[in-house]
Amino acid sequence: MCCALAALLGVLVHVAVTNQTVGQARDRALTRLEDATEQYEAGGRLDPGAGIDPPGLPGPLRDLAVGGERGTMVGDHDARPTVWAAGPADGRRAIAVQVDYAQGARTIDGLDRAILGSSVLAIGATLLVGAFAVTRVTRRLHLTARVARRISAGDLDARVHDPRTRDAGRHQDEVATVSGALDTMASSLQGKLLSEQRFTADVAHELRTPLTGLHAAAELLPPGRPTELVRDRVSTLRTLTEDLLEISRLDARSERVDLDAVRLAPLAERVVRACGGEVELRIVRDLVVDTDERRLERVLGNLVGNALKHGAPPVVLTVDGPVITVRDHGPGFPAYLVDHGPQRFRTEGTSKGHGLGLTIALGQAGVLGARLVFSHATWGTGAVAVLTLPYEESADLPYEESADGAAGPGAGPSGTT
């Protein structure tokens, strides 16, 4: 807008000064033409610069004069700017005078250069000031956008901390208002989530003591069907309480890994034996990784247990190096779980939901630094959970003894259990 305004003002000034300068030159030329016409009619000698059909007279102006009218025209004569004025004379001839226009042309040229120079300076200064002002605003907006993305990714400690929001006496522009609202929203959301996490942890801790006593009392009941039902329900409540405590620790990010060299094939075999049911184990490539064995076994146990409970046989656990896949042949994961991940106790339609198992598996995978992805089978039916453990391939693999007793470079056998 500033550049367009400067250009418009320059054009208006140029047109106004040019019209004024040319008008003054035309007035002088017409005045001299009247004097020359009087001298010619009186039979006197014409002044220098006046004559009858003088050389250099523009043709259109001569035709206008021969037709009986007076007129003026700006042109060149002897390479100098000249204003011609012509009128009718006798015998189809024209009387004309010329006025030097060089000074007026120099004035207009100087004015154009001054307008151009001042416009360039004004536009340059405007662009510099505008770029500085806009950059400050856009930098603050980009910072606000980055903080908003961090909050949406789960980092509730992220804040904008705009300097204008800290000082109540400073002018609060629109960016500061948005930044302050974002910080307030993040603080409120963080407070509510922390309150919910504390509530979950407190409830789990409070339930733990009476459930321990209830479990001990159930063991003293006489054998029978009612006793089995009581013990089963007490065991379910104890498992749920332990899961709630584990989730509260994951939410508080207080978990710490205990890294050790773990061979994946034997660990997978233990998971399959512990889960029972119809589970097929496939070892494509065995591997030794640095991870927390207890947490990894917990993740795989939850994935296989969920597949057995909510999927359909056969359930296949595949170990292919650092990538471990659990697949069943049931109806597959709900759409919300594939799109947004597991959600605690959420049910879909008339199904039983997926409880806390997958939520704990995802949280423990994050503690291990692994990536857990839920999807549908690319062929056939079924749910697929892919766990990718952190592992760096090395050209200098240790020379180890494989599971079947043969020596090999850090890799176990391929097979099916």
Side-chain angles (χ1 to χ4, degrees), residues 262-265 267-268 271 281-283 285-287 289 291 296-297 299-301 303-304 316-327 368 370-373 384-389:
V262 179
R263 182 173 289 278
L264 297 180
L267 185 143
V271 170
L281 176 61
R282 296 178 182 175
I283 307 298
R285 181 165 67 102
D286 193 9
L287 199 67
V289 298
T291 188
L296 179 57
E297 194 168 345
V299 172
L300 295 181
L303 294 178
V304 173
V316 182
L317 174 61
T318 305
V319 178
D320 186 3
V323 180
I324 304 176
T325 304
V326 177
R327 179 188 173 178
L368 294 175
R371 188 166 68 98
L372 180 57
V373 178
V384 179
V386 180
L387 178 68
T388 305
L389 297 171

Side-chain angles (χ1 to χ4, degrees), residues 65-91:
V66 170
E69 297 182 5
R70 291 184 176 185
T72 60
M73 179 177 290
V74 179
D76 292 329
H77 182 64
D78 294 336
R80 292 177 62 85
T82 303
V83 176
W84 291 90
D90 55 350

Side-chain angles (χ1 to χ4, degrees), residues 218-249:
E219 295 296 328
L220 300 177
L221 294 176
R225 181 59 180 169
T227 299
E228 293 178 1
L229 291 176
V230 171
R231 290 176 180 175
D232 179 69
R233 294 300 90 192
V234 170
S235 177
T236 301
L237 283 175
R238 289 190 65 184
T239 301
L240 178 59
T241 302
E242 295 298 330
D243 288 347
L244 287 174
L245 286 173
E246 186 171 357
I247 284 182
S248 66
R249 291 193 298 269

